[in-house]
Amino acid sequence: MHTRRSSRSFRTAVTLLAAALLVSACSAGASTSSATSAADVALGALPQSTPAALSSYYRQKARWRSCEVPGFECATLRAPLDYDRPAGGDVRLAVARKKATGPGERLGSLFVNPGGPGGSAVGYVQAYAGIGYPAEVRARYDMVAVDPRGVGRSEPVACLDGRDMDTYTQTDVTPDNARETTELVDAYKKFAEQCGAHSAKLLRHVSTVETARDMDIVRAALGDAKLNYVGASYGTFLGATYAGLFPGRSGRLVLDGALDPSLSARRVNLDQTAGFETAFQSFAKDCVQQPDCPLGAKGAPSAEVGRRLRAFFRKLDAHPIPTGDADRRTLGEALATTGVIAAMYDESSWAQLREALSSAMKENDGAGLLVLADSYYERDTDGRYSNLMSANAAVNCLDLPPAYTAPEEVEKAVPSFAKASPVFGAGLAWASLSCAYWPVRPTGEPHRIEARGARPIVVVGTTRDPATPYRWARALAAQLTSARLLTYEGDGHTAYGRGSACIDSAINAYLLRGTPPVDGKRCS
């Protein structure tokens, strides 16, 4: 990561920010097909035997070296760029681990993924999971992360430079006229064109299926008979895909903040929009109970809070305010909305959001909201961005077709999005257009994942999750034949390690003793 953070703040930022980009780019599980059309399509398992053409990859052994982070080891492994043509070249995968500390019998490797797509698993394990997961888990498992192909240290997809990303993130995503619509479309086209120009070969091979197959190669290289795994947000889609492809090699899998792979893009994006509205309603109710709430007096109804925030966004749309930024960026509607959305993922960010909104609304100072927006996009103080946004689009736009293919389609959809979320709906509707101009054709469709023959898989859902609505966890649990649904009744995105002793003890029991929770268990 570009800045030093505490383990808690890193964990929250990586998981939530990567997941948040499911909205601003294309959503995992996206397609123009309907959920019904996916009912008869299930991800099929691959043969248990290793194809001869892949044997050299499966015979690899990790050569560990010291990392830049004390206590961790790093290695580089190879995977075929194209699994259909293994002789056509390799992609390099960055792997990091922290060995089990003991005491107790070592249980093997525990792979972790923070979500995205585009979140760096290596950064996540080094800054949070490898030091912040429960001590008893770290004592028994080697904590392992592999950056997915195209992400972080694994041959990252490259699109826009820092200056162009600044322009892109400030583009108005609620166009009011034909000129603004053209500007937004042009921004999406430029982003896509630059991705194609800088990463043409790689863009065709960053699908979730390929990444799941890469994880199996890494599993073999580390000497594990089965893959043990904790994935958050998009990481649940990756983990479920692994289980669908390799049910016999799936060990103890925990999927936290689950995605439903059978949904169409329009349903996915609409569900997420409603999820952000649910989160905002929780924030609004809390805000008006606080003395520093800038959006309403004590007891003000949530609808009034929402109207005031929308009015503030409209004001910024016409007249951006200063931020004191070294690169002279101002706070317009786009960055302000991003900052608010970023704070919806974790209730511990609500106080920061109130302060940022107060400064912007009362003092004409947009610095606080800009900080939230920059953390969302993983932009450092020198104007450099991680490749999170680039990888996010590359994976999502390849996995499944776009939700919309023309501005006219979005215009017709805006009312339904605005109904789902009066605060965020219009912007999230227009954000669904970005994959329409992608330079590489998608390779997937909506589908169910059953993973017949897999060990119990723990699927975790949070009832007021903004980015992965609770219904998705229920849907994925219904698809997976061995799923155990674990519910957290609360706010925020994902549940493990966020303060619920009930959730943590249930997951720890499964990881350490192989005892899954009773299906339907609920925690608060």
Side-chain angles (χ1 to χ4, degrees):
M1 291 296 296
H2 48 70
T3 57
R4 295 182 62 84
R5 294 189 176 108
S6 68
S7 61
R8 174 172 173 77
S9 63
F10 182 93
R11 180 248 181 232
T12 300
V14 171
T15 303
L16 73 87
L17 300 178
L21 293 171
L22 291 173
V23 176
S24 61
C26 304
S27 297
S31 171
T32 54
S33 303
S34 67
T36 302
S37 69
D40 297 324
V41 180
L43 182 65
L46 292 172
Q48 293 191 19
S49 58
T50 301
L54 299 179
S55 60
S56 64
Y57 295 103
Y58 274 87
R59 290 197 301 265
Q60 294 176 93
K61 299 297 179 184
R63 297 181 179 179
W64 298 105
R65 61 184 184 277
S66 296
C67 296
E68 69 276 10
V69 179
F72 289 85
E73 299 175 309
C74 289
T76 303
L77 294 171
R78 297 179 299 109
L81 177 67
D82 184 349
Y83 277 91
D84 291 332
R85 299 175 179 82
D90 297 340
V91 61
R92 295 182 300 277
L93 303 174
V95 185
R97 77 172 178 184
K98 186 175 185 182
K99 298 186 73 173
T101 58
E105 179 185 2
R106 179 182 173 276
L107 296 174
S109 302
L110 180 62
F111 286 65
V112 294
N113 183 281
S120 170
V122 170
Y124 176 72
V125 77
Q126 291 178 340
Y128 173 70
I131 58 176
Y133 263 37
E136 58 268 36
V137 173
R138 292 182 285 114
R140 306 287 298 282
Y141 283 101
D142 293 344
M143 301 297 296
V144 173
V146 52
D147 273 353
R149 52 174 63 202
V151 174
R153 298 162 176 82
S154 292
E155 300 192 28
V157 170
C159 298
L160 302 179
D161 62 20
R163 187 176 296 276
D164 283 340
M165 274 298 296
D166 280 348
T167 301
Y168 182 73
T169 60
Q170 294 177 79
T171 303
D172 186 355
V173 292
T174 57
D176 300 313
N177 51 49
R179 177 183 59 80
E180 291 184 352
T181 299
T182 298
E183 289 175 352
L184 178 59
V185 169
D186 287 347
Y188 288 149
K189 287 180 177 179
K190 180 177 179 178
F191 187 93
E193 290 167 357
Q194 290 300 304
C195 291
H198 295 302
S199 302
K201 190 174 181 181
L202 186 60
L203 282 191
R204 293 175 170 79
H205 298 290
V206 290
S207 70
T208 297
V209 166
E210 289 165 309
T211 293
R213 297 187 71 172
D214 294 344
M215 284 206 303
D216 198 52
I217 288 175
V218 178
R219 172 203 58 79
L222 300 187
D224 290 287
K226 294 184 180 293
L227 182 94
N228 301 308
Y229 176 86
V230 177
S233 195
Y234 163 80
T236 68
F237 181 45
L238 176 58
T241 299
Y242 181 91
L245 295 173
F246 305 105
R249 299 174 191 168
S250 298
R252 300 171 186 178
L253 270 59
V254 177
L255 310 180
D256 184 11
L259 276 72
D260 178 359
S262 73
L263 294 180
S264 71
R266 297 178 186 183
R267 178 58 185 272
V268 166
N269 292 340
L270 204 56
D271 280 359
Q272 286 187 322
T273 300
F276 280 105
E277 183 65 22
T278 297
F280 177 75
Q281 293 293 322
S282 292
F283 165 74
K285 291 176 182 177
D286 178 78
C287 185
V288 296
Q289 301 303 315
Q290 310 302 326
D292 61 342
C293 181
L295 296 171
K298 185 173 183 179
S302 297
E304 179 182 335
V305 175
R307 284 193 296 271
R308 292 190 178 191
L309 184 59
R310 293 199 307 276
F312 174 59
F313 286 160
R314 287 194 297 270
K315 180 180 177 182
L316 292 177
D317 190 24
H319 302 288
I321 62 176
T323 63
D325 177 58
D327 294 311
R328 299 182 180 180
R329 289 177 299 157
T330 56
L331 185 79
E333 181 185 16
L335 286 174
T337 303
T338 300
V340 173
I341 282 178
M344 291 298 100
Y345 289 83
D346 190 334
E347 60 271 30
S348 69
S349 299
W350 290 355
Q352 181 183 359
L353 177 58
R354 291 196 308 272
E355 180 179 355
L357 284 170
S358 294
S359 295
M361 298 174 74
K362 298 178 180 181
E363 302 171 17
N364 213 43
D365 180 1
L369 284 171
L370 184 63
V371 167
L372 284 167
D374 282 350
S375 66
Y376 178 103
Y377 290 123
E378 292 195 356
R379 181 194 192 273
D380 67 19
T381 54
D382 293 326
R384 295 187 298 263
Y385 290 77
S386 78
N387 91 309
L388 174 63
M389 284 286 285
S390 301
N392 180 271
V395 176
N396 282 325
C397 295
L398 185 64
D399 269 350
L400 294 165
Y404 301 103
T405 59
E408 295 76 16
E409 296 177 5
V410 179
E411 289 173 351
K412 293 178 181 179
V414 165
S416 62
F417 277 77
K419 183 179 179 181
S421 175
V423 177
F424 306 116
L428 297 185
W430 283 103
S432 304
L433 183 62
S434 59
C435 282
Y437 310 103
W438 203 243
V440 176
R441 292 179 63 84
T443 58
E445 292 288 345
H447 57 274
R448 293 177 297 108
I449 301 179
E450 298 175 349
R452 294 183 181 275
R455 289 183 176 184
I457 299 173
V458 177
V459 177
V460 188
T462 297
T463 55
R464 294 187 293 278
D465 191 313
T468 52
Y470 178 62
R471 70 176 68 179
W472 293 0
R474 290 187 298 177
L476 182 60
Q479 294 169 40
L480 294 167
T481 57
S482 62
R484 306 291 179 89
L485 179 61
L486 176 62
T487 298
Y488 174 56
E489 297 177 347
D491 297 297
H493 183 45
T494 72
Y496 187 42
R498 297 190 68 247
S500 170
C502 175
I503 290 288
D504 292 355
S505 62
I507 293 175
N508 292 343
Y510 181 52
L511 293 176
L512 295 171
R513 297 187 291 278
T515 306
V518 174
D519 187 35
K521 180 179 176 64
R522 301 182 76 88
C523 297
S524 58

